[in-house]
Each structure stands twice: as C-alpha cells, then as structure tokens.
Amino acid sequence: MEGKPGLQTVYQAVQALYHDPDPSGKERASLWLGELQRSVYAWEIADQLLQIHQDVESCYFAAQTMKMKIQTSFYELPSDSHVSLRDSLLSHIQNLKDMSPVILTQLALAIADLALLMASWKGCVQTLVESYSNDATSLPFLLEILTVLPEEVHSRSLRIGANRRAEIIQDLAYYSSTVVSLLLSCAEKAGDNEKMLIKIFKCLGSWFNLGVLDSNFMANNRLLLLLFQVLQDQTPTNLHEAASDCVCSALYAIENIENNLPLATQLFQGVLTLETAYHMAVAREDIDKVLNYCRIFTELCETFLEKIVTTPCRDLGDLRTLEFLLICAGHPQYEVVEISFNFWYRLGEHLYKTTDTVIHSIFKPFIQRLLHALARHCQLDSDHEGVPEETDDFGEFRLRVSDLVKDLIYLVGSMECFSQLYSTLKDGNPPWEVTEAVLFIMAAIAKSIDPENNPTLVEVLEGVVRLPESVHIAVRYTSIELVGEMSEVVDRNPQFLDPVLAYLMKGLCQPTLASPSAKAIQNICSVCRDHMALHFNGLLEIARSLDSFTLHPDAAVGLLKGTALVLARLPLEKISECLSELCSVQVNSLKKLLSQDPNNGLSSDPTLFLDRLAVIFRTFPQKDFGLFRHTNPIVENGQTHPCQKVIHEIWPVLSETMNKHRSDNRIVERCCRCLRFAVRCVGKGSASLLQPLVTQMVEVYHIHQHSCFLYLGSILVDEYGMEEGCQQGLLDMLQALCVPTFQLLEQQNGLRNHPDTVDDLFRLFTRFVQRCPIVLLRSQVVIHVLQWGVAATTLDHRDANCSVMKFLRDLIHTGVSNDHEENFDIRKDLIQQVLAQVGLQLVSQLIHACCFCLPPYTLPDVAEVFWEAMIFDRPTFCRWLESSLKSLPKEISGGAVTVTHKQLTDFHKQVTSAEECKQVCWALRDFTRLFR
C-alpha cells in the first residue's frame, strides 16, 4: 500500500464491505481492507477508528485489525511503544464496552495477546483485577479478557515459544486463586443474572482447560456446588450449556486422577447426582439438555476409564458410569448415543490389551446391551420408502455404528452375537424395519466369524438368497450387502455360488439395488476367484453391458476389478484374448468420443472409460517375471506378458485422447493414471511405447504444465532407470520437463501455489536417485535440483514436503549406502561435491523451516535428512549445525527470551551425539517448541 490512506477512505471501504449491494464492490473493498491490515499504517488507523467509534462496523474492523496486527506483526512496533499500546487498548475496551459483544471479544483477544507477547507486563492478571473488579460496569469486559487469556496461551496464531509459555503458565497458576475468588464474588452478586453466570462459567472453564487451578482449592470451592446446582434446576438453555461445558473442562483437566484426587472425587460424586435431572430433561423433551448431560456422562467415563477397567465396581471405578451411558443409549434420538462412541472405542482398546477373562466377563453384558441399543437406533422409520440413504446424517451414523460394532464384537463373541441376531428373525416375525436393522448389524460382523463348517452361516446365506421379491426394498438392499460380506462362506460352500449369483443378478437389474449388488459381486469375485473362473463369460457379458445398469461409477469400476481378478485365474493362453475383450468395450467408447462432432451438444468426457481401463490394468501389476499381485499365473522369464499386446493396441487411442484434451488437467490426469498402470502392468514390455510416450509428454507439458506428467515420468524412471540404454533418454526427459517447471515455480509464491507440481517433481528426482543416481549427479541440472530442494523445505504442504524430504534423504543416502552397487566410491565423491556447495545452506534452511514454517508432523522427515548427513560426514555436519543455530533469533519482539545459550548447546550436543535417527527427531521436537 502506497502511503497512508485517509480515514474517510477507510470508512467508505468498510461501508462498502458491509452494505454495497454489488458483490464485486464488496470483494474490492475486502481486498483493499486486507491490504490495509497488512500495512504498517494499520496500527494508527485502527487506533483512530476506535477513538472516534463512529459505528459498529468500523469499530469491529478496527478491533479485529488490532488483534491481527498484534498476532502477526508485533515486530513492527518499537519496544518503547508497547506500554502506550496497552493503555490505549484498555481505554478502548472501557469506552466501547456497551457497543457490541463481538467488538468486546476482539479487543479482549488483542489485550490478551499483547499480555502474552509483552514480557515487561508483569502480573497482568493482578493489574487487571485490581483496576476493574470494583466497577460493576467493567466486569463484563474484565471477565472476557480473563476468559480468552488462558485460551490464547496455546494459540497457533502466537509464536511465543516454550520458554515464554512456561513463564506465562507459571504466572497464571500463581494468580489463579485471585481469578477464582473474583468469579465466586461475581457469582454471589449475580443472583439469577443469566448473562453474568454464563460469563463466569465460561471463564472458569477456560482456566480449567489450561490446567492451572489448584485441585485442593477447587474441590471445596462453592463455585463447584453452584455448577451442579445450576445443572439440577430448570435452567435456561444457554446457561445450562455453559455449566455443562465447564464441568466437562473440569473433568478433562483431572485426567491424572491420583494427582487431583480431592477434585476428582467431588466431580465424580457431583455427576452421579445428575441422573434424575437427565430423566426430567427426557420427560420434557428438552433435547439440548439431554445432549449436555450425555456429554458430561461421557466425559466422566473418559476421565475415569483407567479406574473403570482396572478396578471395576470399586470407588472411582463404579460402573454406574457405564449405566449412565447405556441410559443415554436408550434415548430415541440417535444423536445422543453417538456422543459416547469415542469412549466405547477407547474402552474396547483397553480391554483388548488385557487377557483377563474375569475383567472381560464383567464388561460383556454392558457391550451386549449397547449392541442391542445400536441395532434399535439403526432402524429406519416404518414409513420409509426406498433404500437406506448412506450419505445423509442418519446414513453416516449407521456407518459409524458398523465401525463401532466391528471394534467391540470380540468382547461378546462374533458367532454368539450373530446367532442371537439371527434368532430374532428366525423365531419371530418382526416388522420390516427391525429385520433390516438386524441384517445391517449382522453384515457388520459377518467377516469376523470363522466360515469353516458353520451351519448357522450357511443357513443365513440360504435364507437370504431365498427372500421373496415382495419384501421391503430396504431389506433386499441390506441383505445384498450381507451376502457380499459373506463371500468367505460362499467360497467354503460353492454349491451356493449359483443361487447367490442369481440373487445378485436380480438386484443388478433393479436400479436402486444395482450398486450394492455390483459391490457384492466384486467381493465374491475377489474371494471366490477359482470358483468364479467358470462364470467368467457371464462376467464378461455384464462388463459389455455395464452402462445398461444404473450403477454408481465406483460400483462399475469395482465390478470390472472383480472381473479382472477372475480373468487372472484363467489359463495363461486365454488371458490376452479375454483381456482384449474386456478392454474393447471401453476402448470403443473412447474411439466413439474421439470421432463425434464436438458441436453436437453431447458430453465428450472420457474419464469414465479411462477409470475403467485403469482399474483393469491395475489388477495386473508386473513383478519381475513374476506374480500378479492378486493372481497366481506366472509369466516365465522370456515369455511375453499376456497384457502386452492389449496395451500396445490401446496406446493410439489413449494418445489421441490425451492430445485432444491436452488443456484439461482432469482428463489428462486420468490418461496419465491409465498409462501409469499400463506401464506397471507389463513392465519392460512397454519399452516400444517409451519414445512416443515421452515425446508426447514433453510436447504437451511445455504448453500445459499438468503435474501428472512429472508423476508418470517418475514411473518410467522406476521401470527403465536401471537400463543403461534408456538412461540418457530419461535424463533428456527430465531436463525437458524441468525447464517449464522451474519457470512455473519461479513465479511469485510459485512453490506455495503449486504444491502438486512440487510433490510430483521431487518424486521424479527421487526415482532418479533410486534407479540411476550417477546419471543425475553428473548432469548439469543437479545443482538446480538441489537449490529447489533447499527452497522447497519450507513448504507447509504434507505431500509436497514429504516428497522433498525423501529426495534429500535418499540423495545423501546414496553416498552412505554400499548395499548393491560396485560404483559406491563414485557416488560418494559426487555427493561430497554437491554437499560442499549446498550443505550449509540446506542445514540452515531446514533449521529455519522447523522452527518457523513447518508443522510438527514433518519433523521425523527432517530428522532423517539430518541423520543421513551426519552419517555421511559427522564433523562437517556439526559445523553446519553450529553455524545455523547461531543465526536463530534469541528473543521475540516483546522482549521475552526465545532460546538460551544452554538450550542451543544442549540441542547441538543431542543431535550430533545421537546414535539413532529417532533421537534426532526427539531433540528436534523439543527444540522447535521453543519457537512455536
């Protein structure tokens, strides 16, 4: 922004942002105001807007700007202006306290963030309480500041570092009793003032969440009694929610029960008193309060889980806690029981780790009751028409139930539960919605039952395939899913294969049942491949008429995958011919699209057919003369791969399709995906395609930088990189692809704007390192590659950063590993040369990236790069690391110490003396916390 804008201009922009009827006017105003917020003039302008406080919109913009500037640009202010900024903000919040709650919150956040950054503001809590606690009109904003202050301590928007954070937490713990006393005083004066009580409970919950409240002090505090008193009474909804949140925060804060025993006991006893209040809420059909109680009961169980498992029925392991959750599971609304799912998962994990059958027997009845409750919740409405929806809220709930049942079924016994469920259908005549829900739960556990010599499974299968067509369509839908899950039973009892297939074919021909039927057929094909070989012609007929069925695209692709799996079981001499027939339907469709008039108004999108071809080839991956991944036919050394002829036949169609749609990234990506699996399928058998494929890739990529070409290039290097006759051609391909790629990344924010390109580019480099490192290391492009590698280390994108780090790690490792090549000395010398040029820069950039740019999950990858560099040349790496650490800032803008000299030397010693890579990672994790 050139020059400081006038206040009137700012007012006009704010008015346009909120009131301009033209969307483009709003967007222009938003962009201009965003630019203003990033400028250094924003401090003064925001302060002036708050002083004038002309209207709510301008004040909100100004308050938000102040908060944002403190969080992101505090370094712009000289240290001698910090006190005046603090005083100004406190003056603004007092003057604007009645204007709007949202402005109050933004200013409170700005003051809290300033307190955290400003090391010279000692005892800020005491100062604030002394200044404002005696003025009733100031209490709302004082409580707002005291609420957000603990929340901001761990805010990702503030990089105050572990040292300052520890100092702040210690300071807040010291003044916590002052805050609790203030809250108690406010509560006693508040009476029935709902808004004030909500503020009090929110503030208390915030301090609980930070974990600084003294357990003994809180155990006997009247605020705790007030919390449970509010939860017992017919409280307004918002106040009830605030009290519930506070209790949940308190329970979460005492997970280390032994260290917080007095408070833990009080909370435990307090929650147990809420059972009657829960039943009253149910009777009044107050769903909001029911959900609140269930949250509290669930948090209680989560907190005391260890006690529940290790000392069930005793003291804090009292199993009334589980009874509460099962009472909630009995509520007719499924959203209530869903709250407790995470606890049941955790309980299952804990019980799985113990082999104590007595403990298991104690919990078995609870799990049985839960499963029956879940089965009831999975019932569709009796007036439901059509098949079950899988994508609405209830459909997603049923899927989560299925996952939970699979995790807990071992405690009850799969076969026992399955038999009990089946008996409810066999011995009674339940309504269709009960039948459907029972079949749904049976489908969830069918795969966990041993299918060997199991008459009940056989009886169920036989009963399902004989269901009359007159049953409700939802029952047929779920029974088809159950049949798909029982494919192991079909494999053990092949006499049922024909009736099962006939049953599924009926479903395939019915639009609403087609997709689950296709999925079930795919499962049967996958498990019963040998038996299904006799039915291949039938599968081929289905594949030929695939588009005559009403199938979801994924279901159609799954059917083709199943067909290809069976095809691979045919005699080797038949595979090529049958594969050609299987592919011809898709190829002919592609040809038809290529020949049609582009102006005829019909869709020319080929992705559907490309995806189908891709899954067919994917089912036949080549492994060194070897075994297909899903199959047993073996291609002997010297034999032609059965897929080779087919792939050569379809190449011209794929090439023409890619050429026609060269500007469409989505379609080109699908073409490359199909070619990727085709190349993987036949391996060296695709050699004749190499030159025309690479030529087309390079030609199109120079015009349209689709990153999928880089990925496809990495596949070609992986397959052919160790063939000396191909290495120069592959290097030429790399250099040709690098030119437009580097131009793309050189644009402003190029790395950040094109993470997929970075990801695929460094995959390509990594394949060169793995297959022909010397070719890359001797090339002219290698230094440019490394410089981009150094630059890309700061990119905060999971996949892209992972690819960059893997490239750097593997590159250095080629100079360390002496596993399989005789030219190790050459590789080592070449690595020595490139590291001499970029090693110091690389280590310095990685340290900077870890401290200021990258999230913690990337640190193991960085640690591997450091580890390889250390193994390669430890003394030189030690010097690089020492130099890099010296350049780090030692203080944050507010004057707080970020890192001490001892912490720097300790980190250097931990890394350079590490005997394992994980030790480097641990040291990095601890060190980078100092800057977060």
Side-chain angles (χ1 to χ4, degrees), residues 681-729:
C681 178
V682 296
K684 305 293 187 296
S686 62
S688 61
L689 300 182
L690 194 56
Q691 186 174 354
L693 174 56
V694 169
T695 301
Q696 186 172 2
M697 285 167 55
V698 171
E699 178 194 339
V700 176
Y701 190 76
H702 271 262
I703 305 166
H704 305 285
Q705 285 79 50
H706 304 305
S707 72
C708 52
F709 285 126
L710 301 172
Y711 188 89
L712 184 55
S714 73
I715 301 299
L716 297 177
V717 174
D718 194 37
E719 291 291 340
Y720 295 99
M722 297 179 76
E723 303 286 320
E724 284 191 28
C726 299
Q727 289 175 350
Q728 186 56 47

Side-chain angles (χ1 to χ4, degrees), residues 561 564-565 611-622 629-630 673-674 676-678 680-681:
K561 180 179 180 181
L565 287 168
D611 286 347
R612 292 176 183 179
L613 279 175
V615 79
I616 294 169
F617 295 136
R618 191 177 191 178
T619 311
F620 286 89
Q622 168 266 348
R629 180 170 56 191
H630 300 296
R673 185 170 176 268
C674 192
R676 162 195 166 192
F677 291 125
R680 287 294 198 203
C681 178

Side-chain angles (χ1 to χ4, degrees), residues 116 125 146-155 165 168-173 176 203-213 249-250 252-253:
L116 301 181
V125 171
L146 293 176
T147 299
V148 298
L149 182 61
E151 293 171 352
E152 290 295 285
V153 170
H154 293 290
S155 168
R165 191 168 286 112
I168 290 163
I169 290 173
Q170 186 178 5
D171 193 51
L172 294 182
S176 61
C203 186
L204 180 60
S206 178
W207 285 74
F208 267 127
N209 284 332
L210 189 62
V212 294
L213 297 183
S249 296
Y252 184 80

Side-chain angles (χ1 to χ4, degrees), residues 459-480:
E459 187 179 340
V460 169
L461 186 62
E462 190 174 11
V464 167
V465 299
R466 288 181 179 172
L467 279 173
E469 292 188 34
S470 59
V471 299
H472 194 287
I473 191 76
V475 175
R476 288 189 63 200
Y477 183 97
T478 305
S479 69
I480 287 168

Side-chain angles (χ1 to χ4, degrees), residues 312-386:
C313 310
R314 297 204 314 270
D315 303 325
L316 298 178
D318 191 329
L319 294 184
R320 278 184 292 172
T321 51
L322 296 192
E323 288 289 350
F324 281 8
L325 289 194
L326 290 174
I327 290 170
C328 292
H331 191 278
Q333 299 274 10
Y334 70 83
E335 294 90 347
V336 178
V337 69
E338 195 171 18
I339 290 172
S340 65
F341 276 15
N342 187 62
F343 166 74
W344 294 113
Y345 276 122
R346 288 186 62 205
L347 176 64
E349 286 175 357
H350 274 67
L351 293 174
Y352 189 77
K353 292 173 185 174
T354 176
T355 56
D356 190 333
T357 54
V358 175
I359 293 290
H360 281 205
S361 66
I362 291 172
F363 290 96
K364 182 176 177 179
F366 291 97
I367 303 301
Q368 285 175 323
R369 288 163 59 192
L370 174 68
L371 295 181
H372 282 101
L374 293 176
R376 284 196 306 276
H377 280 295
C378 286
Q379 291 175 19
L380 299 165
D381 292 335
S382 58
D383 59 353
H384 179 89
E385 295 180 1

Side-chain angles (χ1 to χ4, degrees), residues 755-768:
D756 291 341
T757 298
V758 176
D759 181 17
D760 293 331
L761 179 68
F762 282 91
R763 284 177 186 270
L764 174 56
F765 294 155
T766 301
R767 290 299 191 190
F768 263 95

